[in-house]
Amino acid sequence: MIRYLLLRFWQSIVLLFIVSLIGFMVLNLAPGGPLSQYTLTPGMTKEALDRIAEQMGLNRPLPIQYLDWLWNMVQGDWGNSYRDGRPVLEVINRHLFATLLLMGSSTLISVVIGTWIGIRSALRAGTVFDYATTVAAMVALSIPTFWFGLIAIYTFSLWLGWLPAGNMYTVGNGSLGDYAIHLIMPSMVLALVNVAVWSRYMRSATLDVMSQDFVRTAKAKGLAPRRVLMKHIVGNALVPMITLAGLQLPTLLGGALVTETVFTWPGMGRLFLDGLGYNDYPVVMGLLMFSAILVLVGNLAADLLVALVDPRIRLD
Amino acid sequence: MTAAALSAPRPRWWRSRTVRRFTRNKLAMVGVILILGLTLACFVGPYLLPFDELFIDLRARFAPPGTGAHIFGTDPLGRDIAARLFQAGQISLLVGFFAMLMSTVVGTVVGVVAGYTGGWLGAALMRVVDAFLSFPSIFLLLALAAFVNPSPIMITIIIAVTSWMEVARIVEAEVRSLRDRDFVMAARMLGLSKTQIMFRELLPNVIGPIIVAATLTVARAILLEAYISFLGYGIQPPLPSWGNMLNGAQQYLDKAPWLAIVPGVAITMAVAGFNFIGDGLRDALDARSDQR
């Protein structure tokens, strides 16, 4: 178990290193590189730019610059936002809660609905319900999230007038119920894709478990069908779903970015787009790296959880 | 081998079991019809419409669908939405197709090399694949899009940069499973070079999974283009794309909902079409589904 933990941890560190290399490459793609913020300053001369470049250490060889950048990142110095001069990590931290709230509630919705659809269509494989949910899942995967959001706003805010069209709370209110009402539409919209993915995987996982010997044994020894279903089948079918949840993290984060834009939700996605709009490269790069780290940590956590729950997977 | 066997007619590919299985799949056929219909509409449609996609008619602003000859209505500048939709479709479909082509080539080469050579090179290549997969693709795509000149070719390239990993993973796994088969051994005995073994012996054997992945990649590429163009970092107006047609739609949602509905339906149809085809191909090419 300890060896497995160490191995997975080591693999994540290696991945993190490659991720940082890719991030550094993207950073150097920026027009003018890290100097771009100064090129716009009025009265800037070539000599002054060169001097700044020297001060920032940009005339050194790229590998040295990379190591320097990496060392700063490791120490928590991710640079300062061009917009308000605050440290990047602090800016991200201010927007983290909103995104986590959205992702969390959306995941809850997709797990509940997706699991239910998945089990039901596995138990009734080949029926109209099974076929209809299969087609519906494929269509759901084809709908652009932002467009689904627009249609939801049109239907539920503009036409029916049931739900607010955006923001996280009403200014001057901010009670728990107010948050909840604002949360309903964005989290449902974000859940659409994940319900589709989750129900498909849950269906095949349930079918897999149903054909296992221990299920036949459980049935043969006369356990109530409901008990067999809940304890033996669903319990075991949920284990691979933990891994899936980890693998779906990048999609979920990307979807959150788009959903936040449509619903003016004040999370990391909005921050990212604002950063792009203001050429605030430290924030953009910070979020790019932060999201990749979040994904790696999520996957690591998922793997550890699976290893804890399922003794078969401990050494691969 | 008898003379009769030698002179037996070669089986026609369109009569093969794979093709029959594919054409019998209703959903896959729906996909084929959707894609053929959309392609035809986008590439032939503009010649049949009475309007040019750039023609501005300020007297006919916000005309709802069905007003006169404007079958899908007009936009805030009085331009015909149908004309723009078809023109945009050409861009979106071409971007999707070429992004698929690029990412499939890159993914296949990486996958074959990593799968056949294995060792540290294979491991290193696959870790790079994993690293790319750790980035939410929209974040990476937007960061890249903001830093490059957003011409359709550049957009196609950066979409390919963020979409080649799935193909690489699939090809790597397939090639690794074939690496020690007898026919590869035989090829090695015959003195074929590594490159010949990889691309002349192994590649033809993994073509099925590649085709499936490529089809699904078109769907993904069309979606990604729509996302970044919607957010304003993809294809730039006045060149229309399905994504950037939706860009201004949100502020007119109350007044002119068709601005949002029409392009969105087109995107969903195209993406669903490719997804249906890809799924049908997977079932048709999978030897295990034979038993049914």
Side-chain angles (χ1 to χ4, degrees):
Chain A
M1 184 73 183
I2 296 289
R3 261 188 65 190
Y4 174 78
L5 290 185
L6 286 175
L7 181 71
R8 281 298 290 115
F9 190 70
W10 168 242
Q11 283 170 344
S12 299
I13 298 286
V14 171
L15 266 188
L16 203 56
F17 178 70
I18 306 176
V19 160
S20 74
L21 266 177
I22 298 173
F24 186 71
M25 266 155 48
V26 174
L27 180 69
N28 278 282
L29 258 183
L35 269 185
S36 51
Q37 65 165 326
Y38 300 106
T39 49
L40 297 175
T41 316
M44 183 55 74
T45 59
K46 180 84 179 61
E47 289 76 45
L49 267 182
D50 286 346
R51 214 162 42 235
I52 297 172
E54 201 177 320
Q55 275 170 9
M56 288 170 77
L58 294 173
N59 51 357
R60 294 173 302 166
L62 273 181
I64 304 284
Q65 284 187 44
Y66 166 71
L67 288 177
D68 198 39
W69 176 76
L70 189 66
W71 181 234
N72 285 338
M73 296 269 293
V74 172
Q75 290 175 310
D77 175 13
W78 290 31
N80 294 325
S81 162
Y82 289 170
R83 253 204 297 174
D84 53 10
R86 309 286 281 275
V88 167
L89 274 181
E90 190 193 309
V91 177
I92 293 178
N93 190 32
R94 256 188 311 186
H95 291 77
L96 191 58
F97 168 72
T99 297
L100 290 184
L101 179 68
L102 179 62
M103 281 170 49
S105 52
S106 163
T107 304
L108 195 68
I109 294 169
S110 32
V111 168
V112 171
I113 301 178
T115 307
W116 180 76
I117 294 177
I119 295 171
R120 203 178 144 102
S121 45
L123 291 179
R124 306 181 178 200
T127 61
V128 176
F129 179 85
D130 182 29
Y131 194 70
T133 48
T134 304
V135 176
M138 271 165 76
V139 174
L141 285 173
S142 309
I143 298 176
T145 308
F146 65 87
W147 183 68
F148 189 58
L150 292 183
I151 299 300
I153 291 176
Y154 180 69
T155 313
F156 295 106
S157 303
L158 300 176
W159 185 35
L160 296 170
W162 289 351
L163 294 166
N167 296 328
M168 192 157 72
Y169 53 88
T170 318
V171 177
N173 186 334
S175 64
L176 216 55
D178 190 50
Y179 268 88
I181 283 181
H182 283 82
L183 190 57
I184 293 174
M185 218 165 24
S187 52
M188 288 284 207
V189 166
L190 182 54
L192 178 78
V193 170
N194 278 310
V195 169
V197 175
W198 201 276
S199 65
R200 291 295 82 204
Y201 277 84
M202 192 62 198
R203 177 183 180 273
S204 62
T206 310
L207 283 175
D208 274 354
V209 177
M210 274 163 69
S211 65
Q212 303 262 325
D213 288 342
F214 66 81
V215 173
R216 204 177 44 194
T217 310
K219 278 183 188 157
K221 72 181 183 188
L223 283 182
R226 191 163 184 85
R227 200 176 145 78
V228 176
L229 175 68
M230 294 317 287
K231 199 168 164 213
H232 293 81
I233 299 178
V234 174
N236 283 294
L238 278 174
V239 175
M241 295 301 115
I242 302 173
T243 312
L244 177 70
L247 292 177
Q248 280 297 105
L249 256 181
T251 317
L252 189 63
L253 261 168
L257 180 146
V258 180
T259 312
E260 285 175 7
T261 315
V262 174
F263 290 97
T264 51
W265 191 263
M268 293 184 345
R270 266 266 31 115
L271 179 67
F272 188 81
L273 275 175
D274 286 348
L276 282 179
Y278 288 100
N279 292 332
D280 195 350
Y281 298 132
V283 167
V284 170
M285 284 312 303
L287 279 167
L288 194 63
M289 295 302 295
F290 189 82
S291 56
I293 293 171
L294 209 61
V295 168
L296 283 175
V297 172
N299 276 320
L300 188 61
D303 283 352
L304 299 185
L305 205 58
V306 170
L308 277 178
V309 182
D310 188 344
R312 286 171 306 180
I313 314 186
R314 270 176 211 163
L315 257 176
D316 198 1
Chain B
M1 202 175 277
T2 63
L6 279 174
S7 62
R10 268 182 76 215
R12 315 262 179 196
W13 64 267
W14 62 86
R15 292 224 196 118
S16 73
R17 205 180 295 148
T18 306
V19 173
R20 213 168 342 115
R21 264 203 305 255
F22 181 73
T23 48
R24 238 189 265 145
N25 185 330
K26 278 186 211 127
L27 216 50
M29 284 299 106
V30 171
V32 170
I33 292 168
L34 276 175
I35 297 307
L36 285 182
L38 276 172
T39 312
L40 207 66
C42 292
F43 287 90
V44 179
Y47 298 104
L48 305 176
L49 288 171
F51 303 101
D52 183 81
E53 89 275 9
L54 294 174
F55 177 70
I56 294 174
D57 180 2
L58 291 176
R59 286 164 307 167
R61 302 172 70 208
F62 298 113
T67 315
H70 298 291
I71 42 173
F72 293 141
T74 61
D75 72 358
L77 294 173
R79 291 175 297 190
D80 184 52
I81 290 182
R84 276 172 62 71
L85 186 79
F86 295 149
Q87 212 69 43
Q90 292 185 11
I91 306 267
S92 294
L93 290 173
L94 286 175
V95 167
F97 180 78
F98 283 106
M100 173 276 285
L101 221 53
M102 277 185 231
S103 53
T104 306
V105 170
V106 174
T108 303
V109 172
V110 171
V112 170
V113 172
Y116 183 66
T117 28
W120 69 267
L121 177 66
L125 282 174
M126 292 326 282
R127 290 297 81 71
V128 172
V129 169
D130 290 344
F132 265 94
L133 283 170
S134 312
F135 291 102
S137 38
I138 298 174
F139 278 71
L140 193 56
L141 201 52
L142 282 171
L144 288 170
F147 294 161
V148 299
N149 157 40
S151 66
I153 295 174
M154 248 4 244
I155 298 296
T156 311
I157 292 174
I158 60 172
I159 290 177
V161 167
T162 52
S163 318
W164 57 277
M165 297 83 74
E166 285 299 325
V167 182
R169 266 199 173 170
I170 292 165
V171 174
E172 193 261 352
E174 292 280 332
V175 168
R176 190 150 38 84
S177 75
L178 292 175
R179 185 169 55 185
D180 298 321
R181 290 280 191 82
D182 289 343
F183 74 93
V184 182
M185 284 301 197
R188 225 174 279 160
M189 301 291 189
L190 283 170
L192 267 63
S193 72
K194 264 190 172 177
T195 325
Q196 278 173 320
I197 294 176
M198 284 192 283
F199 294 99
R200 299 253 297 267
E201 301 296 320
L202 283 167
L203 187 58
N205 284 290
V206 294
I207 211 75
I210 293 178
I211 292 174
V212 173
T215 315
L216 298 175
T217 304
V218 182
R220 182 193 150 85
I222 293 175
L223 261 187
L224 285 178
E225 185 275 321
Y227 280 124
I228 57 169
S229 296
F230 167 71
L231 295 170
Y233 291 92
I235 305 288
Q236 299 299 313
L239 205 61
S241 86
W242 284 337
N244 75 24
M245 283 180 77
L246 285 163
N247 181 259
Q250 189 165 9
Q251 52 180 312
Y252 301 114
L253 208 50
D254 205 8
K255 198 173 171 191
W258 59 89
L259 285 177
I261 294 171
V262 175
V265 170
I267 297 169
T268 307
M269 278 164 64
V271 177
F274 282 110
N275 278 337
F276 289 166
I277 296 175
D279 206 59
L281 283 173
R282 179 170 19 218
D283 285 349
L285 288 164
D286 186 0
R288 275 170 301 176
S289 55
D290 232 9
Q291 294 151 357
R292 277 194 291 171

